[in-house]
Amino acid sequence: MAGKRVLSGVQPSGTLHLGNYFGMIRPALQMQQENECFYFIANYHAMTQLPEPALLRQRTFDVAVDFLACGLDPSKTVFFRQSDVPEVQELSWIIGCVTPVGLLERCHSYKDKLAHGQEANHGLFSYPVLMAADILLYDSHLVPVGKDQKQHLEVTRDIAIRFNNQYGEILVVPEPMIQEETAIIPGLDGQKMSKSYNNIIEIFGEGKAVRQKFMRMVTDSTPMEDPKDPEKCNVFALYKLIAAPGEVEEMRQRYLAGGMGYGHAKQALYDKYTEHFAEMRERRKELVAKPELVEDVLRDGANRARKIARATLDRVRAAVGLA
Ligand code: ADP
Ligand code: TRP
């Protein structure tokens, strides 16, 4: 897999949490060493929910800071704001013309949002076309995403194949890299951690408020002295992700032996969380204090991204008869 071009995007739609970190951010950042990575903040996509302008700007900055604090290396990875490469909109229009309406009508994410009462604006409907343009604009080979994005990647492949059938082998047909195996990270209540379920632990929480969240995690009512099943416990599920293998084993034995209350496991998890993110938390504070540095990183990323975007778009324009 060495040397592939990897691309992924994340919407700036709320505070990033441990589910995002272990499910997406950490695996994406691990790919930086051996691949040419393009990661971007999908702020055009976030507009489909019509956030307040100040909020959209703030969340975009927050995601940038979070990724940099977590270890995104801008000297290797091209990191940018989607809207700084407006070429994506032109490609989106062009490929929209080979996209059957039925393909978009079948998208679960669109149907789910309508079912939840969101008004169907055109942006929401054509969301997968813009996502396809994001991917195809950079001749991306691999697109690491969560399971929820699988259908959008199938749409992307379908669009690329249709385009190539019509105009010749112009677009690279990408391979999905679905994180099926990555456990769904549980939230405070044991169901999938998600900002929509109000059960998140933020990556960079600090102090009393976040400690209380850990202490409020839902567990079963096995009495303190009884043995407990670690594999059924969401506290243990998170501990496994954060602690070292030896510590995980030790904790597993303490569950099985009985005599340990859940409060103890929660405190141990909280301590590990504090320690695990300590350095990143400090780095984050430094970045927040230097917004111009973050801005420089994003601008430089956009310049690098735009060169590739321009070349693809020129190739596409020539192929379809626009140039
Ligand atoms: P949310 O569910 O909080 O709205 P998003 O849908 O914005 O999160 O997810 C952004 C990325 O993080 C996606 O790639 C998604 O697969 C991943 N992700 C989100 N929540 C979890 C979780 N609980 N476990 C594993 N991965 C997750
Ligand atoms: N739709 C993705 C999500 O909500 C974000 C995204 C936009 C994306 N464009 C992309 C992901 C291109 C991968 C590739 O998570």
Side-chain angles (χ1 to χ4, degrees), residues 9-24:
V10 61
Q11 284 197 63
S13 49
T15 310
L16 293 176
H17 52 73
L18 295 183
N20 299 136
Y21 180 76
F22 290 109
M24 195 271 283

Side-chain angles (χ1 to χ4, degrees), residues 22-41:
F22 290 109
M24 195 271 283
I25 302 176
R26 190 167 72 172
L29 296 183
Q30 281 165 348
M31 298 198 71
Q32 290 183 115
Q33 303 312 324
E34 302 208 338
N35 300 279
E36 190 191 359
C37 295
F38 286 67
Y39 295 141
F40 68 94
I41 308 169

Side-chain angles (χ1 to χ4, degrees), residues 17 19-20 23-24 145-146 148 183-185 192-196:
H17 52 73
N20 299 136
M24 195 271 283
V145 283
D148 53 328
I184 301 278
I185 317 297
K192 178 194 157 176
M193 190 180 291
S194 168
K195 60 181 170 287
S196 334

Side-chain angles (χ1 to χ4, degrees), residues 221-261:
S221 51
T222 315
M224 161 118 164
E225 55 282 5
D226 288 6
K228 300 174 180 62
D229 183 352
E231 299 311 328
K232 289 203 179 116
C233 178
N234 53 348
V235 178
F236 188 73
L238 293 184
Y239 191 78
K240 256 198 322 202
L241 292 165
I242 300 189
E247 294 166 328
V248 175
E249 199 37 49
E250 199 180 306
M251 183 61 83
R252 186 194 308 280
Q253 295 310 330
R254 296 189 71 177
Y255 267 77
L256 296 173
M260 178 193 70

Side-chain angles (χ1 to χ4, degrees), residues 7-11 40 42 45 127 131 134-135 143 145 149 152:
L7 172 135
S8 196
V10 61
Q11 284 197 63
F40 68 94
H45 278 113
Y127 182 114
M131 180 159 162
D134 286 327
I135 296 168
V143 186
V145 283
Q149 298 298 316
H152 287 157

